Amino acid sequence: MSDISGSYDTTVKSPMGDQSGTFTVVDNGDGSFSGKMEGGMGSMDVEEGKVDGNTLTWKMNMTVPMPMTLDCEATVEGDTLAGNVNAGAFGAMPLTGTKKA
């Protein structure tokens, strides 16, 4: 199992264009993780973060540009992260990231 903890430079391909940010992951060692996503749209805390092997699932509460709960899933392979951010009626937005050294 890879070490998922760390900071990742991320890009979410959203309807408003590519959103760059930093996704911080802290593996709690008990099948859960905490962290946050910080970027041009502000900061969102990870909620209900779960770890299953190298797959992460979590929720984030977005406030800008509108209040919405985002359902997220990503798989960590080495130093890369790839998955989707599901934004309700806006559908799934691809998420990619690379772990910072």
Side-chain angles (χ1 to χ4, degrees):
M1 187 168 90
S2 63
D3 181 19
I4 59 166
S5 296
S7 293
Y8 297 81
D9 287 318
T10 59
T11 301
V12 176
K13 295 194 176 302
S14 83
M16 298 173 297
D18 288 0
Q19 303 295 318
S20 297
T22 300
F23 181 47
T24 304
V25 175
V26 179
D27 187 345
N28 296 326
D30 60 359
S32 71
F33 78 97
S34 55
K36 62 185 168 185
M37 178 77 81
E38 297 175 284
M41 305 296 262
S43 177
M44 295 178 286
D45 290 331
V46 166
E47 298 184 13
E48 300 176 38
K50 294 183 178 65
V51 180
D52 182 6
N54 61 346
T55 300
L56 308 177
T57 55
W58 72 100
K59 295 180 186 298
M60 295 185 295
N61 289 312
M62 181 174 80
T63 55
V64 178
M66 68 193 76
M68 181 183 303
T69 299
L70 304 175
D71 288 304
C72 311
E73 180 174 1
T75 301
V76 178
E77 297 280 351
D79 289 338
T80 62
L81 172 149
N84 287 295
V85 174
N86 293 297
F90 295 100
M93 301 177 291
L95 163 70
T96 56
T98 305
K99 189 184 261 190
K100 295 182 183 186

